[in-house]
Amino acid sequence: MITLALSKGRIFDETLPLLEQAGIRPLADPEVSRKLIIATSRADVRLIIVRASDTPTYVQYGAADLGIAGKDVLLEHGGAGLYQPLDLRIAVCRLMVAAPEGFDYAGSVQQGARLRIATKYVKTAREHFAAKGVHVDLIKLYGSMELAPLVGLADAIVDLVSTGGTLRANRLAAVEEIVPISARLIVNQAALKLKRGAIEPLLDAFARAVAARDQGNRRDAQAL
Ligand code: ATP
Ligand code: MG
């Protein structure tokens, strides 16, 4: 049995067409069913539904052989015990520093000011600011980071940005990109060795599905 860990929502929705291409169809919809273990059209492949930030943990400890996780989550986790063979190029966004419109971020940094930064991504943010030599106090939040600068909890935030709509709605602006983000296929390193015969064809199928999708997109773009 091969176990693939996925989170509900964006990751599941954007993985579905790739699974389909690989000949794997889930037999239940996690948005409807309350089941956390979902069988698929392939008797030897099952899905487990986990919280997005827990995906690397399930794969690291071998409770899942494979998983799909955002680069943001993988950076926070650290990647121990994981093999990251494939960028699926889904759930694409950017990890950014954002501050209230009009806040002079570059100036504050240049003057060596100490900044209060609210974020869910404490480890990645700490490493980013340390590499730049910027002094920060980090405040860990679990969501709605955009609120923090509006009510005086922080000077700036580190958060994922896709369209920038949420930032604009809260009169914040992105001031620095930390890293581009997309979801990666991750594999338990020991499972890859022990179940290579079953896992390698799956990796190949995912790689072919990603390539076919991107080729189709390029063709569509050229036809316009
Ligand atoms: P939860 O919603 O349970 O608190 P979460 O916010 O981490 O967890 P999702 O919103 O499903 O879960 O995000 C899963 C992954 O999708 C993130 O780790 C990130 O890689 C990516 N992602 C998050 N927000 C966006 C976005 N606005 N656009 C594109 N990709 C995103
Ligand atoms: Mg979310």
Side-chain angles (χ1 to χ4, degrees), residues 84-102:
Q84 301 184 26
L86 186 61
D87 182 353
L88 299 172
R89 298 194 285 274
I90 58 173
V92 174
C93 55
R94 298 185 289 168
L95 188 67
M96 303 198 76
V97 183
E101 287 171 2

Side-chain angles (χ1 to χ4, degrees), residues 7-11 14 51-53 69-73 90-93 120-121 142 160-163 181-183:
S7 53
K8 277 203 289 196
R10 179 181 341 261
I11 297 275
E14 297 191 28
R51 188 83 187 257
S53 44
K71 184 75 189 169
D72 51 326
V73 165
I90 58 173
V92 174
C93 55
K120 179 162 125 180
Y121 303 101
Y142 293 87
L160 299 175
V161 179
S162 51
T163 63
I181 300 293
S182 56

Side-chain angles (χ1 to χ4, degrees), residues 10-218:
R10 179 181 341 261
I11 297 275
F12 185 89
D13 297 345
E14 297 191 28
T15 299
L16 212 50
L18 298 175
L19 283 174
E20 178 85 28
Q21 272 281 311
I24 300 166
R25 191 169 36 82
L27 298 185
D29 175 356
E31 299 296 345
V32 177
S33 161
R34 295 182 188 203
K35 283 198 171 123
L36 297 174
I37 301 180
I38 297 183
T40 75
S41 53
R42 268 183 54 176
D44 63 332
V45 178
R46 64 175 184 176
L47 311 180
I48 62 172
I49 304 301
V50 303
R51 188 83 187 257
S53 44
D54 291 336
T55 305
T57 307
Y58 278 88
V59 177
Q60 173 186 9
Y61 290 99
D65 302 298
L66 305 115
I68 295 174
K71 184 75 189 169
D72 51 326
V73 165
L74 292 167
L75 288 170
E76 278 300 293
H77 172 271
L82 303 178
Y83 174 56
Q84 301 184 26
L86 186 61
D87 182 353
L88 299 172
R89 298 194 285 274
I90 58 173
V92 174
C93 55
R94 298 185 289 168
L95 188 67
M96 303 198 76
V97 183
E101 287 171 2
F103 178 77
D104 183 10
Y105 171 73
S108 304
V109 166
Q110 228 156 35
Q111 285 162 29
R114 196 169 184 90
L115 295 176
R116 287 229 291 187
I117 307 282
T119 187
K120 179 162 125 180
Y121 303 101
V122 170
K123 175 173 181 278
T124 311
R126 182 181 299 113
E127 289 168 0
H128 170 73
F129 292 113
K132 285 178 50 109
V134 177
H135 301 289
V136 293
D137 291 315
L138 292 162
I139 298 174
K140 166 85 184 186
L141 290 179
Y142 293 87
S144 301
M145 268 76 81
E146 297 85 0
L147 179 62
L150 306 182
V151 294
L153 179 62
D155 300 306
I157 62 173
V158 166
D159 198 8
L160 299 175
V161 179
S162 51
T163 63
T166 308
L167 292 182
R168 273 193 300 280
N170 292 291
R171 311 206 59 175
L172 302 174
V175 292
E176 188 168 74
E177 172 165 333
I178 299 178
V179 61
I181 300 293
S182 56
R184 314 298 163 105
L185 188 63
I186 58 175
V187 187
N188 175 276
Q189 283 173 354
L192 183 60
K193 293 200 186 87
L194 296 169
K195 301 188 188 176
R196 188 176 280 277
I199 290 177
E200 237 168 27
L202 258 183
L203 300 187
D204 292 343
F206 268 108
R208 278 197 305 272
V210 169
R213 177 204 62 202
D214 290 353
Q215 202 172 28
N217 287 345
R218 270 198 299 279

